[in-house]
């Protein structure tokens, strides 16, 4: 059974930073591209970033480019999202997902809440 467990969210002031983690199990993590997606209050799911399985090539939504960095540790089966220069519009529940920018699929994790507010 695929399990993705997100953590690391919280309340941060504008301009602050957070690092999200996603612990993966139930599949061969190192062989799968991974993504972060988010859902802001009252809105649908929005793709944020993806990283390829082995080469670690990253892609980002324009809204987070230059501020967020996706990475992965295949030895630890863990995906990360370093978020810097956070803005109020980054407020959302963040989820990790299997797959790339057009193919990502969530696996029912609870997500982690990020709130950016002064």
């Amino acid at each position: 059974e695929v399990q993705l467990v997100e953590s690391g969210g919280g309340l941060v002031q504008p301009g602050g930073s957070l690092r999200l983690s996603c612990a993966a199990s139930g599949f061969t993590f190192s062989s799968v591209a991974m993504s972060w997606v988010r859902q802001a209050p009252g809105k649908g799911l929005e793709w944020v970033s993806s990283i390829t399985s082995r080469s670690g090539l990253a892609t980002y939504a324009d809204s987070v480019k230059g501020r967020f960095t996706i990475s992965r540790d295949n030895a630890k089966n863990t995906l990360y999202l370093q978020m810097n220069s956070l803005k109020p519009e980054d407020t959302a529940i963040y989820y990790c997902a299997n797959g790339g920018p057009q193919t990502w699929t969530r696996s029912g994790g609870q997500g982690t809440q990020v709130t950016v507010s002064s």
Side-chain angles (χ1 to χ4, degrees):
E1 178 188 2
V2 173
Q3 285 196 325
L4 299 171
V5 180
E6 303 91 347
S7 62
L11 173 64
V12 63
Q13 292 186 341
S17 298
L18 284 173
R19 189 194 195 202
L20 307 184
S21 298
C22 170
S25 61
F27 63 102
T28 306
F29 180 78
S30 60
S31 298
V32 177
M34 296 293 295
S35 295
W36 286 98
V37 299
R38 66 186 181 185
Q39 187 165 26
K43 297 187 177 181
L45 285 167
E46 174 193 18
W47 171 77
V48 174
S49 180
S50 296
I51 187 168
T52 57
S53 57
R54 298 185 189 277
S55 61
L57 291 176
T59 53
Y60 299 93
D62 287 344
S63 58
V64 307
K65 198 173 295 183
R67 300 188 297 120
F68 290 10
T69 303
I70 191 172
S71 62
R72 64 191 297 160
D73 186 335
N74 288 339
K76 296 182 178 179
N77 288 356
T78 303
L79 179 72
Y80 303 100
L81 186 68
Q82 177 67 43
M83 306 186 297
N84 298 328
S85 302
L86 283 161
K87 304 176 181 180
E89 51 263 45
D90 295 318
T91 295
I93 301 174
Y94 284 71
Y95 304 92
C96 59
N98 299 98
Q102 283 82 40
T103 61
W104 57 266
T105 303
R106 282 191 52 214
S107 297
Q110 296 297 307
T112 187
Q113 175 72 51
V114 172
T115 303
V116 185
S117 175
S118 55

